[in-house]
Amino acid sequence: MLFDVDDTLIDYASAEHDGIVSYLRSLGVEGDLNAAAARFGELQAFHFNRFLAGRTDYVGQARSLAADMMAWMKAPSAPDPYRWFLGYRERYEASLRLFPDVLDGLASLGNVPLGIVTNSDTAFSRVKLQRVGLLSRFRCVVGVDAAGASKPHPRIFHTGCAALGYPPAVTAYVGDNKLGDAAAADEAGLLGVWVNRSGADEDGVTDLRQLAAVLKLAEVSRFS
């Protein structure tokens, strides 16, 4: 079984918000820090999508993000904006938390081989998983740099399956994005499972502690 990381296992949205607010406070920034956090999130999404499109590398998108954020705040420019980003990342990593259902949900899967497929940098993803105490639980961690493609491209799912050591037909992929994770995994020949973190729709799995039971039902349906 393969998993997404951000907003599936780790509460990324909260960590990003808390991390940037904490970092700006440490820099003595005043004013509406929630508005600053929202702007940071917009810039983060823009520059990270450039990374996913192959227009820059991970460090390059981080450097551009930091430069744009400092410009938005009208802060003095830094010789290397990446150092500013690393200051944020330290606060972000300190804010990382697992969703409350994760540990019990993974434990319910017993000895099922587990791996990670993420639209992030492999090395940084390993750092995050280590930070929350999950890295040793996964047999492999596959990011866009390792796969040469990002979700929803089938290649990244197939690279994850190869690293895990199982073919797509017997591998599930669990993620919080209904289209980019679950539907894309289905298209790649895996069994896509949508983790519906918002609970807004009746579809999807709302708690990872339901995962083992849901997958047993799915297995009967898929191979009967």
Side-chain angles (χ1 to χ4, degrees):
M1 190 178 305
L2 297 169
F3 284 83
D4 173 52
V5 177
D6 292 333
D7 289 325
T8 297
L9 302 175
I10 291 174
D11 187 353
Y12 170 81
S14 294
E16 180 188 85
H17 176 274
D18 295 347
I20 190 61
V21 168
S22 174
Y23 184 48
L24 294 179
R25 282 195 182 121
S26 75
L27 296 176
V29 175
E30 299 179 350
D32 188 344
L33 295 185
N34 285 326
R39 181 55 180 161
F40 182 83
E42 294 169 352
L43 292 171
Q44 176 87 281
F46 173 78
H47 288 290
F48 198 75
N49 282 335
R50 293 183 69 247
F51 165 64
L52 294 181
R55 298 176 62 188
T56 184
D57 60 13
Y58 181 80
V59 173
Q61 65 85 29
R63 181 175 286 117
S64 297
L65 162 63
D68 283 357
M69 187 63 187
M70 286 188 289
W72 182 82
M73 295 188 302
K74 297 181 173 57
S77 60
D80 183 3
Y82 186 58
R83 293 183 64 85
W84 190 96
F85 174 82
L86 291 178
Y88 153 73
R89 197 171 84 173
E90 181 179 356
R91 299 293 178 125
Y92 159 77
E93 290 178 5
S95 301
L96 290 172
R97 300 290 184 273
L98 295 174
F99 286 105
D101 58 343
V102 170
L103 293 179
D104 288 341
L106 294 180
S108 73
L109 300 174
N111 294 322
V112 173
L114 305 180
I116 293 292
V117 168
T118 172
N119 268 1
S120 188
D121 175 80
T122 301
F124 184 36
S125 296
R126 293 179 67 86
V127 168
K128 289 194 291 186
L129 292 166
Q130 181 69 48
R131 184 86 190 208
V132 296
L134 280 189
L135 182 60
S136 63
R137 189 70 177 84
F138 296 98
R139 181 177 293 187
C140 63
V141 178
V142 174
V144 293
D145 52 318
S150 61
K151 296 179 291 185
H153 198 287
R155 187 191 308 162
I156 193 169
F157 295 105
H158 295 163
T159 302
C161 289
L164 191 62
Y166 290 87
V170 298
T171 305
Y173 185 78
V174 182
D176 69 293
N177 188 307
K178 188 173 185 179
L179 297 179
D181 288 332
D186 281 337
E187 288 292 322
L190 294 76
L191 174 63
V193 180
W194 176 39
V195 181
N196 180 3
R197 285 293 180 196
S198 71
D201 299 319
E202 296 182 359
D203 197 8
V205 174
T206 57
D207 191 308
L208 289 184
R209 288 167 288 206
Q210 306 165 346
L211 197 54
V214 167
L215 287 175
K216 286 179 182 177
L217 293 175
E219 181 181 357
V220 171
S221 174
R222 186 170 187 179
F223 297 107
S224 62

